[in-house]
Amino acid sequence: MTHLPPPAEELRLLDAELWRLDARRAQLLARRAWLVDSLRSTRPTPPAPLTAAPRPEASAPRVQNVLLLLGGVLLTIAAIAFTLVSWGHLGIAGRALVLGTVTLAVLAAPVPLLRRGLRSTAESVAGLGLALTVLDAYALHEAALTGTDGTGYAAAAAAVLAALWAAYGLGLGALRLPLPAGLVAAQLPLVLWAIAAGSDPYAVATALLVTAGLDAVVAFGAAAGAVRVTVTAGAYGLGGWGVLAAGWLSWTATGPSAAARAAALLLFAAVIALVAAARLPEPAVASGTAIAGGLLLVAAGGGLLRVFLAAGWGVPVHLALGVALSAAVRADRLPEAVRGGLLRASAAVQALALLWAVPLVVVTLLGPLGWVDRPWSGELSDARAAVTVHTPWPPYAGQALLVLVVVAGALVPLAVRHGAWRPRARAGAAALVWAACLALPAVLELPYAAALSLAGAVTAATAFLPTPWLALATSLHLAFLSLATQSATLTVLSALTVLGATASRRPRLTPVAAPVALGYATALACATGAAADWQPSHTALLVLCVPVVAALAAARSGAAPATVPVEVAGAAAAVLAVGLAVPDAPMLATVLAACGVIAAGTAARPDRRRAGYAATVLFLLATWVRLAAWEVTTPEAYTLPVAVPALLVGAWRRHRAPLTRSWTAYGPGLAVALLPSLATGWNDPEWSRPLLLGAAALLVTLLGARHRLRAPLVLGGSVLVLDALHELAPYLVQVADALPRWAPPALAGVLLLAVGATYERRLRDVRRVREVLGRMH
């Protein structure tokens, strides 16, 4: 056993041990303080953080250029002020001496600056010298040549300055400013001389184009840099203004002489553009320049020939030149970029010509729509009257028709030989020939029958193409065109129905041709009824033939791609038949029943079982409409035709799937059968309906209890209770009137006491009822 000292001895030992611990702690803290002081005294002092030098916001060369530019500008302003203000205080010798000395000194200053390597300073001083030469020229005119023409003097001064600046720049090859400045000055002399000479606009346009041509020559001979950029900008800028001036002169030319001069200018501009395109290294730029050159060639020829032709022939002439241009550039001697640009220029001309012919096509195709609001209004004089019911006839229709034919012919080579463009060229050529054929009778003012015949022939010819969309568009045009007369309408719709049925026998055309045939058959049925003066409701019976045929065709085709389009066309015809029969209730019931029969027949197919729902709805609607036509107001006549099939379907479903809940199987049918009758019988003073309703509700309740089904039990019991309360209500009212006024509160108190006394047992009974209902389906 462990020896334990007495408490007094143990306390003394603990105090001694704590004293030794305190002494050791004091010794350790003193040693720690000494070590900390020793480390602080031997640690080197950290250097002060270096402050980053501020970064300059501008580089030294940029600062230098800014200072030189400001200095040059200030000196130039001073020189201008001296020339304009202080010039009059000096004599002729003083003026010449001052300007000459200053100009020569400034122009000579860049030489020593360049030797010392101060190129930027030399550029700035040279710019000041060039500005001084301009002031010298101005001062010379104001002092000694005041009588000369200002524009002419400006032209001569620009030429002299251009030569001097160019020589100065070539002499000091290290400077980049003088030579481009000389080229800028060289843009002015020819144009200013033409204006000073009082020349007509043709001479000014010529000066612009000549200057642009010289710029192009210099651009191809100069190395890449400021010189080439300057002359290239001048070539495009002055050339563009020259082309605009020449185009305006060609457009406004009224005589052969003026047209020839304008055409010469356009031809000259075209030559400049094509020569430049042939030498440009970049394919995209070369192609764009070649496009401009090709358009200028067409504009030159078309503007010249236009003045010799009657009005309306300008566009066909330009189109002919554009087509000729595409044929002329097929040779391999031209560069690929130039050939491509010229071909694109030809295509642009053809596209613009087609745009000009669009009104003719629009009037031809959409004009017959005007017969919709005035069908069978009478015989027509010609085909043009048939397409201009509400639209005016466009001018120059013959020329527009020629444009369609020419462009279609131009697309034929591409459709035959060019592999990449062959499908699009074929489609474009076919569309243009189609539009031309439809517009031909109206343009030539052929008889109305000829227009129908030609449109029918085009429809038949295009019906068997791989893409039947042209046939569909033509058939629509023909159908609307035939609305002018009754005989034409019936004949055309019959022919279109037969044509569509024939084309639908080809499998690749069936998805389009079959529904189209059904659509025209529907229109034929409506037209036949209108021709026979039938009421719309009777015409609906004739229209119902189309859904019957569609249902038979869809059943025969099976899962083919045309099945759905055929069924949609048949459904659309059925909807139209229903709409026609709406004013006549008995006929509407017949039509709905017939549609229900068609839907039921469709539901016999395994893949169309859902059509049975539509058949049920249609039969129900037919029944309701028939009852409404007979003025039947008894609600059971409307509800029982719904309730009985619903209950039968519910019973069949529970037979197939026993786990189906009773609310799903019988709830809708019982609700439709009982609730409307309950609502009607609540205000019915007779006793027959409440009695029959109560008997039916009792039977439903017993069946629900027998088969342990929740929906019949709850619905039947609820209706039975409410029906009984309705029947007992008068007697309850009489009893309430006979009772004294203190009786109802007393009865309520007794009831509450009874419920309170048996509260737990009542809850247990309610819980049991809930469990019983929960175990039911």
Side-chain angles (χ1 to χ4, degrees), residues 295 315 319 345-358 403 407:
L295 293 176
V315 174
L319 175 61
S346 174
V349 173
Q350 297 177 41
L352 292 174
L354 287 179
L355 186 63
W356 180 75
V358 163
V403 166
V407 176

Side-chain angles (χ1 to χ4, degrees), residues 509-537:
L509 300 178
T510 305
V512 177
V516 168
L518 294 174
Y520 284 124
T522 304
L524 177 62
C526 296
T528 302
D533 290 333
W534 289 358
Q535 295 293 328
S537 57

